């Protein structure tokens, strides 16, 4: 999952990114997280609140990917 997120971040250049591409990436993340309910819920929430009509600000996209990556980190063992 983290590698997938890093790939998506690497593709995000410029100030705007095509909204359709963002949707495709989010669907890929949802599929990759199929066994982690909290991640599926997070991705579905992002999909429901996706900004823009045709494009999304790259800054928002990177922040969203960072948030998903943070949630995807394994819980520390105590």
């Amino acid at each position: 999952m983290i590698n997938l997120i890093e790939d998506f971040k690497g593709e995000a250049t410029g100030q705007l990114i095509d909204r359709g591409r963002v949707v495709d990436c989010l669907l890929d993340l949802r599929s990759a997280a199929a066994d982690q309910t909290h991640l599926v819920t997070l991705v579905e929430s992002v999909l429901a609140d996706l900004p823009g009509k045709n494009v999304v600000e790259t800054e928002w996209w990177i922040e969203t990917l960072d948030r998903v990556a943070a949630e995807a980190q394994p819980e520390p063992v105590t």
Side-chain angles (χ1 to χ4, degrees):
M1 165 83 70
I2 298 300
N3 290 337
L4 190 58
I5 291 170
E6 290 302 318
D7 288 345
F8 294 154
K9 286 174 66 173
E11 294 172 1
T13 60
Q15 287 185 304
L16 300 172
I17 187 167
D18 182 74
R19 189 176 191 271
R21 177 68 184 138
V22 170
V23 169
D24 288 344
C25 292
L26 288 168
L27 293 174
D28 288 345
L29 289 173
R30 186 175 67 179
S31 292
D35 61 337
Q36 297 172 310
T37 307
H38 71 288
L39 289 177
V40 171
T41 301
L42 173 59
V43 171
E44 288 178 351
S45 172
V46 171
L47 280 165
D49 295 330
L50 193 62
K53 192 171 190 177
N54 297 313
V55 293
V56 174
E57 290 185 15
T58 302
E59 181 180 352
W60 176 90
W61 179 227
I62 297 295
E63 289 171 1
T64 299
L65 289 171
D66 287 342
R67 191 172 86 198
V68 174
E71 289 293 324
Q73 296 298 326
E75 292 290 322
V77 177
T78 56

